[in-house]
Amino acid sequence: MLNKTLLPQSVAREIQAMIQSGRLKAGEKIPSQREFSQKFGISRASLREALLTLETLGLLKTEAGRGTFVAAGDGAGQTGNMAPWRYSESYSVFDVFQTRILLEGEIARLSAGRLSQAQLDKMESATKTMEDRWADQDLLANVEADLEFHGIIVSACSNTMLKALYQTVRDQVTETQRQPIPITDPERMRQSISEHRRIIAALKANDGDGARSEMEAHIRNTARCAGLQP
């Protein structure tokens, strides 16, 4: 049994490992939430959060009236369908991408020249982790590294209000970083990793306008992967 203090992300990681190892097979219905929550020693609310994360990544699929199943396919980019947008009652995914372009573009501009070498090294490491974890289809770790990359930039922003605004929409932003994964092909992931490295170069060179331009392009390209043109 997992430690009861583990976060939903840790439970999601355990379930992902069950899928990758074949303990849960493609097309198989997963155990009930009551059974799974008891197995992992967590609340049903935490379990639901873990399951929603895995569904967004394309590893699980919920069918109305039938339950939740392991998705068919050979990994990211193979399922062909994105999960339903979980924040549809408040904001459209289009609105969130559009907000990300405005907010993260300006945050990148204001962070240029303010990152320490240690922070830049962490961003390089996170980008390499993204690349490596994509190769072995550890989708959770791939997205976690992406979140770390963007989070480091936010932490260096000189405008505390923009940093606070980012935190208020962080859940929705995070979801847009997971949402396109099921339809992301290897070439798009290679492009995304290259975009990260161009952002790092602009930040390191104290090129604020360049950092904003690279960040905006990166988010637009991610949105296009999701079939949107913000």
Side-chain angles (χ1 to χ4, degrees), residues 57-119:
L57 292 174
L59 295 172
L60 297 176
K61 181 179 181 181
T62 298
E63 298 182 11
R66 295 192 63 215
T68 302
F69 298 80
V70 178
D74 298 323
Q78 301 300 312
T79 61
N81 295 297
M82 291 189 297
W85 175 245
R86 62 193 289 191
Y87 297 104
S88 59
E89 293 185 2
S90 51
Y91 308 105
S92 71
V93 64
F94 180 91
D95 287 349
V96 178
F97 270 118
Q98 199 168 61
T99 300
R100 283 191 65 190
I101 291 167
L102 294 169
L103 183 58
E104 291 190 67
E106 185 64 8
I107 285 173
R109 185 182 75 82
L110 295 174
S111 298
R114 292 176 53 85
L115 290 122
S116 67
Q117 188 58 51
Q119 288 174 308

Side-chain angles (χ1 to χ4, degrees), residues 178-196:
R178 295 180 182 136
Q179 190 82 6
I181 289 293
I183 57 172
T184 297
D185 60 27
E187 178 56 31
R188 171 56 203 151
M189 184 54 63
R190 283 192 288 270
Q191 292 170 357
S192 182
I193 288 164
S194 294
E195 289 160 9
H196 272 210

Side-chain angles (χ1 to χ4, degrees), residues 31-219:
S32 69
Q33 289 191 14
R34 182 178 69 84
E35 183 179 344
F36 247 3
S37 62
Q38 290 177 347
K39 171 182 173 62
F40 295 123
I42 60 169
S43 69
R44 292 197 190 185
S46 292
L47 176 64
R48 282 193 293 271
E49 181 63 29
L51 296 178
L52 281 169
T53 295
L54 293 171
E55 186 170 359
T56 302
L57 292 174
L59 295 172
L60 297 176
K61 181 179 181 181
T62 298
E63 298 182 11
R66 295 192 63 215
T68 302
F69 298 80
V70 178
D74 298 323
Q78 301 300 312
T79 61
N81 295 297
M82 291 189 297
W85 175 245
R86 62 193 289 191
Y87 297 104
S88 59
E89 293 185 2
S90 51
Y91 308 105
S92 71
V93 64
F94 180 91
D95 287 349
V96 178
F97 270 118
Q98 199 168 61
T99 300
R100 283 191 65 190
I101 291 167
L102 294 169
L103 183 58
E104 291 190 67
E106 185 64 8
I107 285 173
R109 185 182 75 82
L110 295 174
S111 298
R114 292 176 53 85
L115 290 122
S116 67
Q117 188 58 51
Q119 288 174 308
L120 292 166
D121 289 344
K122 284 183 180 179
M123 291 172 68
E124 290 278 8
S125 178
T127 300
K128 183 64 167 61
T129 297
M130 278 183 67
E131 188 172 36
D132 293 344
R133 296 293 74 79
W134 178 265
D136 59 27
Q137 286 294 281
D138 184 347
L139 304 183
L140 283 166
N142 171 273
V143 173
E144 286 168 2
D146 189 26
L147 296 173
E148 180 184 9
F149 175 93
H150 287 267
I152 292 169
I153 298 172
V154 174
S155 72
C157 179
S158 60
N159 187 310
T160 56
M161 180 169 278
L162 286 181
K163 289 165 72 171
L165 285 171
Y166 179 87
Q167 293 304 321
T168 66
V169 296
R170 187 173 181 179
D171 288 347
Q172 291 82 6
V173 167
T174 296
E175 195 70 359
T176 62
Q177 290 171 265
R178 295 180 182 136
Q179 190 82 6
I181 289 293
I183 57 172
T184 297
D185 60 27
E187 178 56 31
R188 171 56 203 151
M189 184 54 63
R190 283 192 288 270
Q191 292 170 357
S192 182
I193 288 164
S194 294
E195 289 160 9
H196 272 210
R197 290 181 172 135
R198 289 198 293 272
I199 292 168
I200 293 171
L203 291 168
K204 188 174 184 178
N206 195 16
D207 180 0
D209 289 341
R212 178 176 59 189
S213 178
E214 293 290 355
M215 180 62 78
E216 289 176 350
H218 173 57
I219 296 170

